[in-house]
Amino acid sequence: SQQGEEDPQALSIQEGENATMNCSYKTSINNLQWYRQNSGRGLVHLILIRSNEREKHSGRLRVTLDTSKKSSSLLITASRAADTASYFCATDGYQAGTALIFGKGTTLSVSS
Amino acid sequence: NAGVTQTPKFQVLKTGQSMTLQCAQDMNHEYMSWYRQDPGMGLRLIHYSVGAGITDQGEVPNGYNVSRSTTEDFPLRLLSAAPSQTSVYFCASSAVRQLGGEAFFGQGTRLTVV
């Protein structure tokens, strides 16, 4: 399988705390993306980081990428109950980017 | 602008029945793909297409067929449904100009095979 792995599989925090999720992947990439999935819904794109970038910010999201370790992390600062969802990393390593390879996801639960 | 539309949202099939899951996008995207999502497995790629008339197999293609006669539509066919195909199916599309870029997902089809 070419799938990556997210760690942890599940994360429970209180509102206001930071949430960190990690992703490891197997193939060389041009970029890595993070998606969010609310329960029973489709996936929504959050942020994309290119292979020549080490860190990227978008609002309360911070993504890092270490291509030498084939790993990435997603930090959500000052979490809110609305951040409760599953989070997936995805790489473009399949057939030169024609389709994405997803990890198994981290389920984040933020309680108020 | 509807984005990616999947139909039906829910379906129950008996083992051995056939059906087609529909996927349509109105963004003129060249790339389209089908994934299945199972508990604890994340999303696994079934088939994908880089344009009308061109399809290829993903990680778990067995038991599924696809075709891409138009840019807009990318149906997924189950020829003889099996209980192992019980899953949630997602269709996604993205633009070539954003190679490896943002994918847009439909809301999913929840399929149960009994």
Side-chain angles (χ1 to χ4, degrees):
Chain A
S1 169
Q2 299 183 43
Q3 275 192 300
E5 296 277 345
E6 276 94 340
D7 170 58
Q9 290 186 327
L11 181 60
S12 294
I13 60 174
Q14 299 284 325
E15 267 192 329
E17 293 181 338
N18 295 341
T20 299
M21 290 159 261
N22 302 297
C23 164
S24 61
Y25 57 91
K26 298 180 180 180
T27 63
S28 58
I29 62 171
N30 294 307
N31 62 60
L32 182 143
Q33 305 176 49
W34 285 89
Y35 287 79
R36 183 184 72 204
Q37 183 182 35
N38 290 89
S39 180
R41 310 284 289 181
L43 278 75
V44 175
H45 180 263
L46 293 176
I47 193 168
L48 179 152
I49 185 167
R50 303 207 179 277
S51 60
N52 61 355
E53 298 176 310
R54 290 297 168 259
E55 186 170 312
K56 197 164 185 179
H57 296 254
S58 177
R60 293 184 296 113
L61 305 180
R62 180 173 77 97
V63 170
T64 61
L65 178 64
D66 186 336
T67 54
S68 66
K69 295 181 179 178
K70 290 188 168 58
S71 67
S72 174
S73 68
L74 171 68
L75 169 67
I76 304 174
T77 60
S79 295
R80 306 165 181 168
D83 294 327
T84 294
S86 293
Y87 292 82
F88 296 88
C89 68
T91 59
D92 64 344
Y94 202 89
Q95 298 294 331
T98 54
L100 298 176
I101 303 171
F102 284 86
K104 297 181 180 180
T106 292
T107 299
L108 174 64
S109 177
V110 183
S111 55
S112 54
Chain B
N1 194 340
V4 180
T5 302
Q6 290 184 236
T7 56
K9 288 186 171 55
F10 301 93
Q11 183 71 49
V12 178
L13 287 179
K14 294 182 178 179
T15 297
Q17 286 185 318
S18 63
M19 79 160 295
T20 299
L21 279 62
Q22 302 291 344
C23 175
Q25 52 92 8
D26 61 0
M27 297 172 282
N28 202 32
H29 284 169
E30 292 84 356
Y31 291 172
M32 295 186 75
S33 50
W34 277 102
Y35 296 86
R36 59 176 289 172
Q37 184 176 30
D38 303 293
M41 296 296 293
L43 279 80
R44 291 182 291 170
L45 181 65
I46 304 172
H47 285 285
Y48 64 98
S49 169
V50 300
I54 306 171
T55 64
D56 208 344
Q57 297 181 350
E59 184 182 7
V60 287
N62 292 342
Y64 308 95
N65 279 352
V66 293
S67 60
R68 184 97 180 269
S69 57
T70 67
T71 299
E72 294 79 18
D73 300 299
F74 190 42
L76 178 71
R77 297 185 185 85
L78 283 71
L79 300 179
S80 179
S84 61
Q85 294 178 305
T86 293
S87 188
V88 182
Y89 292 85
F90 288 99
C91 177
S93 73
S94 61
V96 173
R97 66 179 180 277
Q98 297 179 33
L99 189 63
E102 178 181 356
F104 295 81
F105 282 80
Q107 292 301 300
T109 295
R110 186 174 296 273
L111 175 68
T112 302
V113 182
V114 298

